[in-house]
C-alpha cells in the first residue's frame, strides 16, 4: 500500500489522502472532524462527470492522469 497526503498550498490543511491499495486501486481518504471515509477514485470521477455534464474536458485515468478534450 502507498499513501500521499494532499494539502492546501500553505500546507496547513489536509485536503485528502491518496491511497494505492494492495489490489492496485486508487482510493481517496476524506476526513471531516472525527469522521473518515474512503471513496474510490472512479466514484469521485463519476460525480465530477455528472456535475459538469460535458461542460469541461473529460478527465481520463490511465498510466497517469491526463485531460482530454
Amino acid at each position: 500500500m502507498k499513501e500521499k497526503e494532499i494539502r492546501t498550498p500553505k500546507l496547513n490543511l489536509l485536503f485528502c489522502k491518496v491511497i494505492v491499495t494492495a489490489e492496485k486501486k486508487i482510493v481517496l481518504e476524506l476526513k471531516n472532524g472525527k469522521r473518515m471515509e474512503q471513496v474510490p477514485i472512479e466514484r469521485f470521477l463519476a460525480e465530477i462527470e455528472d456535475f459538469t455534464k460535458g461542460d469541461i474536458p473529460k478527465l481520463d485515468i490511465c498510466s497517469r492522469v491526463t485531460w482530454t478534450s
Side-chain angles (χ1 to χ4, degrees):
M1 189 165 77
K2 185 176 174 183
E3 297 182 1
K4 177 178 176 40
E5 289 184 349
I6 298 178
R7 294 184 170 269
T8 57
K10 293 183 180 181
L11 304 177
N12 59 354
L13 182 64
L14 177 64
F15 177 68
C16 70
K17 188 183 290 184
V18 178
I19 301 169
V20 178
T21 67
E23 297 82 23
K24 304 295 184 198
K25 301 277 185 181
I26 298 172
V27 175
L28 301 176
E29 184 177 279
L30 310 169
K31 292 184 180 179
N32 181 8
K34 294 180 181 179
R35 203 176 89 200
M36 187 264 302
E37 186 174 345
Q38 291 186 343
V39 178
I41 189 86
E42 295 84 2
R43 183 172 141 215
F44 181 74
L45 293 175
E47 290 286 336
I48 292 171
E49 293 285 332
D50 184 55
F51 176 71
T52 60
K53 297 193 185 340
D55 293 335
I56 62 167
K58 184 176 178 182
L59 177 63
D60 288 321
I61 300 294
C62 54
S63 60
R64 60 188 176 85
V65 176
T66 57
W67 287 99
T68 61
S69 54

